Amino acid sequence: MSSQNAQEYIQSIVEKIKIKDYDEPEFLQAVEEVLSSLEPVLKRHPEFIDVNLLERFCEPERQMLFKVSWIDDAGKYRVNRGYRIQFNGNIGPYKGGLRFHPNVNQSIMKFLGFEQTLKNSLTGLSIGGGKGGADFNPKGKSDREINRFCESFMLELYKHIGKDVDVPAGDMGVGEREIGYLFGMYRRIKGSFDNGALTGKGLSYGGSLLRPEATGYGVAYFADDILNYCKDSLEGKTVAVSGFGQVAWGVCKKMEQLGAKVVTLSGPEGYIYDKDGVIGEKVDYLVELSKEHRVGRILSYADKYKVPFYPSRKPWEVKVDIAIPSAIENDILIEDAKNIVNNGVKYVVEAANMPCSYEALAYLTSNGVLVGPAKAANAGGVAVSALEMSQNSIRLSWTAEEVDSKLKQIMKDIFLNSLNAAQSYGLGVNLIAGANIAGFEKISNAMMAQGYY
Ligand code: 2IT
């Protein structure tokens, strides 16, 4: 029997990590949020305290930080920092995206790797958690510069990945084109196709149908599951979305199919309001715009479709039924959360990772807004990545309908597992805690079974 009680133990681990990782605010926020959900689990499993499971769980297994040097079109020598965090491999090969964005740093990589670990566990598939990327800004770079950067990045990354070791994918700034360049270089260095080794590949060389749509579609399915559970329906609902990338257009497309209408999109420079909804050919336009993430601007949508554009403002001031942040972390701050509550929005479904600040999240939940947390709601993307790995290993491709129906079922299972975990600990419909608990359950079992590591 443990000498320490659950609350004291959690507090002591949080304090330790605050000292160890004092300069990593995003990682600390994620750790604090997750560990605070696990108190009831530790009460039921005091043996986890005896073996110091939480401190072991919060320490990434391996962290790579490496130099990426390359030469730009003007002949200038450039240097960036590359990262790969192999956070937890207890339930399968590390799996997670690569992000190319100027704000990438150790803290953001670690928080994403930590979240990915729980998210991947929640999918029910055999994938561990990892994340990587570089503080490289793809905006304004030529195609050749992107190609050279990807090659230089892979010249280091290849040492750390492989089909049974670590399987990277895309994230912000890394789409099908970048995955193509990365995989091309990997294959040349290794001299092997290695079962695809990365996911998010093009259809001609092992990609899965519906992978580009999967995150957004999964978010819409998850919203549908939440509303159905609340004896509500998506039919006729209006949705505020932030961002205008792959996740945002996927949400628009599936929301239209499910009878709801997305009325806002945003970029760093402001948001658009389209009262008729982002539907039909407007979504096709968005798909094209998101491919041009180096030059694309949401303002072009306002120009093309003659809809209002609100500079330097966020879509959270619009009165809608559902808010779906689909851009970047810390997109909903406390003043935005107040707008959301004042506007009577009942549901916030997180499509981006950590889109709400800690304060905003607390405000939303304590004011009765039902939050679908990112690690559950946006898990459809990585789930279809795992389906891509399966298709590669059996050397067969499933149809779009097959992938979509598997995705729909996976999202339903994630919703039910999160809900059941919350309810089994008397936490009602607290899906934030439920997702943390359900994700942790499988990993903790695997860690207990595999010894002291
Ligand atoms: O945040 C995420 O889940 C991703 N960027 C997708 C990771 C993946 O391996 O598909």
Side-chain angles (χ1 to χ4, degrees):
M1 192 57 203
S2 165
S3 54
Q4 235 180 344
N5 78 35
Q7 198 189 356
E8 276 169 18
Y9 172 63
I10 288 173
Q11 205 45 46
S12 74
I13 299 306
V14 169
E15 291 307 320
K16 250 189 183 171
I17 294 171
K18 272 187 181 161
I19 293 168
K20 280 199 275 195
D21 301 323
Y22 67 94
D23 54 350
E24 297 179 355
E26 291 83 3
F27 179 59
L28 290 175
Q29 179 177 332
V31 164
E32 224 168 337
E33 190 238 280
V34 170
L35 295 198
S36 67
S37 303
L38 299 180
E39 190 182 325
V41 180
L42 294 186
K43 284 191 173 137
R44 205 177 281 181
H45 293 282
E47 70 276 16
F48 290 175
I49 304 178
D50 297 335
V51 298
N52 194 16
L53 200 71
L54 292 191
E55 190 177 2
R56 290 161 49 199
F57 174 61
C58 292
E59 189 69 22
E61 291 183 8
R62 205 167 293 103
Q63 307 184 62
M64 271 69 73
L65 167 55
F66 51 92
K67 167 173 145 184
V68 186
S69 59
W70 56 286
I71 298 174
D72 72 17
D73 287 347
K76 228 174 108 188
Y77 287 67
R78 311 272 288 242
V79 184
N80 288 96
R81 283 187 180 170
Y83 297 84
R84 187 69 184 171
I85 311 290
Q86 296 177 336
F87 211 103
N88 186 294
N90 281 103
I91 64 172
Y94 310 107
K95 178 92 200 81
L98 297 170
R99 176 179 289 193
F100 291 169
H101 191 278
N103 84 354
V104 160
N105 60 33
Q106 187 80 9
S107 171
I108 290 180
M109 290 288 104
K110 266 174 76 177
F111 115 71
L112 288 167
F114 184 62
E115 291 286 296
Q116 195 81 47
T117 297
L118 289 157
K119 182 196 305 193
N120 293 3
S121 167
L122 265 179
T123 64
L125 304 164
S126 303
I127 39 179
K131 201 82 191 187
D135 63 349
F136 168 77
N137 189 354
K139 269 211 168 84
K141 301 291 189 296
S142 73
D143 189 55
R144 288 176 180 192
E145 287 175 326
I146 300 276
N147 194 341
R148 283 199 297 279
F149 181 82
C150 288
E151 287 183 357
S152 187
F153 184 83
M154 187 51 84
L155 211 39
E156 171 67 30
L157 188 72
Y158 88 94
K159 299 171 192 165
H160 313 293
I161 65 173
K163 72 175 165 60
D164 294 316
V165 180
D166 184 352
V167 183
D171 194 83
M172 288 162 55
V174 178
E176 190 179 314
R177 181 176 72 161
E178 289 73 18
I179 293 293
Y181 293 154
L182 290 163
F183 181 68
M185 189 63 175
Y186 178 80
R187 200 175 62 77
R188 285 165 65 196
I189 303 168
K190 295 287 270 202
S192 158
F193 199 85
D194 201 24
N195 251 338
L198 289 103
T199 63
K201 297 184 291 297
L203 289 179
S204 58
Y205 60 98
S208 174
L209 283 164
L210 244 57
R211 176 63 189 88
E213 289 84 350
T215 309
Y217 277 22
V219 169
Y221 283 135
F222 197 80
D224 194 36
D225 292 328
I226 291 182
L227 269 73
N228 287 338
Y229 174 77
C230 295
K231 309 237 176 321
D232 202 345
S233 150
L234 280 176
E235 194 62 45
K237 292 288 190 294
T238 53
V239 184
V241 163
S242 65
F244 67 101
Q246 181 174 282
V247 177
W249 67 250
V251 172
C252 294
K253 218 167 168 173
K254 189 52 86 178
M255 279 297 174
E256 185 183 3
Q257 292 171 18
L258 296 174
K261 197 164 72 176
V262 172
V263 294
T264 71
L265 295 165
S266 73
E269 68 277 22
Y271 78 91
I272 63 105
Y273 176 69
D274 185 344
K275 66 171 171 30
D276 300 324
V278 184
I279 52 172
E281 61 139 317
K282 291 188 265 188
V283 182
D284 301 332
Y285 175 70
L286 206 56
V287 173
E288 289 312 306
L289 198 64
S290 72
K291 282 187 193 153
E292 300 165 19
H293 58 76
R294 296 132 212 113
V295 286
R297 289 263 183 274
I298 193 56
L299 190 54
S300 343
Y301 183 101
D303 288 343
K304 187 169 167 69
Y305 295 108
K306 310 273 173 282
V307 298
F309 173 72
Y310 299 93
S312 308
R313 282 159 65 179
K314 293 186 191 173
W316 318 125
E317 60 190 22
V318 179
K319 194 170 171 58
V320 289
D321 301 304
I322 305 166
I324 305 193
S326 313
I328 195 166
E329 55 273 359
N330 292 320
D331 179 9
I332 297 182
L333 304 175
I334 184 70
E335 59 272 20
D336 304 310
K338 285 180 180 163
N339 278 337
I340 288 173
V341 169
N342 284 338
N343 281 328
V345 177
K346 286 215 219 70
Y347 313 98
V348 172
V349 185
E350 298 182 336
N353 294 310
M354 202 192 278
C356 302
S357 72
Y358 202 67
E359 219 186 350
L361 198 59
Y363 188 85
L364 291 172
T365 51
S366 60
N367 282 280
V369 176
L370 187 48
V371 176
K375 65 176 70 72
N378 76 18
V382 73
V384 172
S385 274
L387 299 183
E388 181 174 332
M389 291 162 71
S390 306
Q391 293 170 82
N392 292 159
S393 69
I394 55 173
R395 304 200 197 289
L396 281 177
S397 300
W398 296 326
T399 64
E401 290 71 27
E402 284 170 317
V403 176
D404 197 27
S405 81
K406 287 183 206 297
L407 171 63
K408 188 174 177 181
Q409 187 59 48
I410 289 170
M411 296 315 296
K412 195 171 278 306
D413 292 342
I414 292 173
F415 172 74
L416 290 175
N417 287 339
S418 304
L419 181 69
N420 292 340
Q423 290 182 336
S424 85
Y425 287 97
L427 300 168
V429 286
N430 184 343
L431 295 174
I432 301 175
N436 287 334
I437 294 170
F440 182 69
E441 219 146 58
K442 185 173 175 187
I443 299 168
S444 56
N445 284 337
M447 286 181 75
M448 292 300 281
Q450 291 176 36
Y452 56 79
Y453 184 51

